[in-house]
Amino acid sequence: MLNAEYLLRSFAAFATERGQSHVHTQTATDWAARGPSVAQRDARLKAVCRFVRHVRVEDARHELPPVNHFGARKTRRSPHIYPAAEIDRLIEAALRLRPKGGLRSRTYATLIALLSVTGLRISEALKLTVADVTRDGLLIRETKFRKTRLVPLHDTAVAGLNGDLAHRRPLFRD
């Protein structure tokens, strides 16, 4: 069951207990206030508001509650843009990871470098396989929106990936 469907069923049961067959602002805010956090109270009230916008077309007796009654605001942290020197320090630190001679340090260094030059999401980079490295760039399968795309690479990025693959090939089993 979808979250909106679950919420609206819960609200309908709450309003029915009060003997109401139409949405009333006070009932909607009372029901939404039962949410355990400001964000959840806000989500509950917004679900009712979306519903009311549709049903008011046919029956104006439904009241539209105030959308931001609980004052919840979604905020995102500002992204941190890594300067080149900081990326270089991260790669150097990754190459110092123990155990020496294993693939872990080179894997992390390559991952950091790849993320810094391609703009890939971490989930996309982690799903890459050797077969995804093509002459035309990186083949990204199942992106955030379940699509496939080709990410072109600069010659220096291709050289870096080829160097990393050359280091790994002796470790592959035939």
Side-chain angles (χ1 to χ4, degrees), residues 11-23:
F11 171 70
F14 184 80
T16 301
E17 286 176 11
R18 291 187 171 194
Q20 298 173 352
S21 59
H22 290 84
V23 177

Side-chain angles (χ1 to χ4, degrees), residues 85-100:
E86 200 169 350
I87 293 169
D88 290 342
R89 285 195 306 272
L90 285 170
I91 292 171
E92 289 168 13
L95 288 171
R96 289 192 302 269
L97 289 173
R98 298 192 194 281
K100 293 284 185 187

Side-chain angles (χ1 to χ4, degrees), residues 1 15 28 49 59 61 68 74 80 100 113-115 143 155-156:
M1 184 183 310
C49 289
D59 190 343
R61 292 179 289 176
N68 287 324
K74 284 189 178 179
H80 176 74
K100 293 284 185 187
L114 194 60
L115 290 171
T143 64
D155 291 340
T156 56

